[in-house]
Amino acid sequence: TATEWREGRLVFRDQPLSDVVADFNRYSIEQFIITDPKLGELRLSGSFRYDGVEDFPQALESVLGLSVEPAGANRWRIASR
């Protein structure tokens, strides 16, 4: 899993959402913004592609119950529902 980023994947195990978003923003053209700092404390595990906006927002919505909405070109806003 340490080298999965070379294959277009990021793997997280019980990481704070703020760290997960920071990694996505480092590797992807798509940029995510957490609207409430408390949401950054939520924990997430999973393996996601960073070269597209498909699996990651879906996981945030279905697993964590968050809302992920477009916020401009290549920008996404993560908020509570």
Side-chain angles (χ1 to χ4, degrees), residues 13-79:
R13 287 193 178 85
D14 194 34
Q15 297 292 119
L17 182 58
S18 58
D19 290 353
V20 173
V21 166
D23 280 350
F24 262 94
N25 289 348
R26 182 173 352 146
Y27 290 102
S28 178
I29 190 169
E30 304 293 336
Q31 299 293 290
F32 294 88
I33 304 159
I34 300 173
T35 60
D36 180 351
K38 288 185 180 184
L39 297 178
E41 298 172 10
L42 296 173
R43 310 295 286 196
L44 184 65
S45 296
S47 173
F48 308 100
R49 293 199 61 78
Y50 62 78
D51 60 355
V53 181
E54 294 159 5
D55 295 344
F56 182 55
Q58 185 178 26
L60 295 180
E61 291 177 342
S62 64
V63 174
L64 297 179
L66 301 176
S67 171
V68 182
E69 300 291 331
N74 300 323
R75 296 180 64 81
W76 299 87
R77 182 178 301 113
I78 301 168

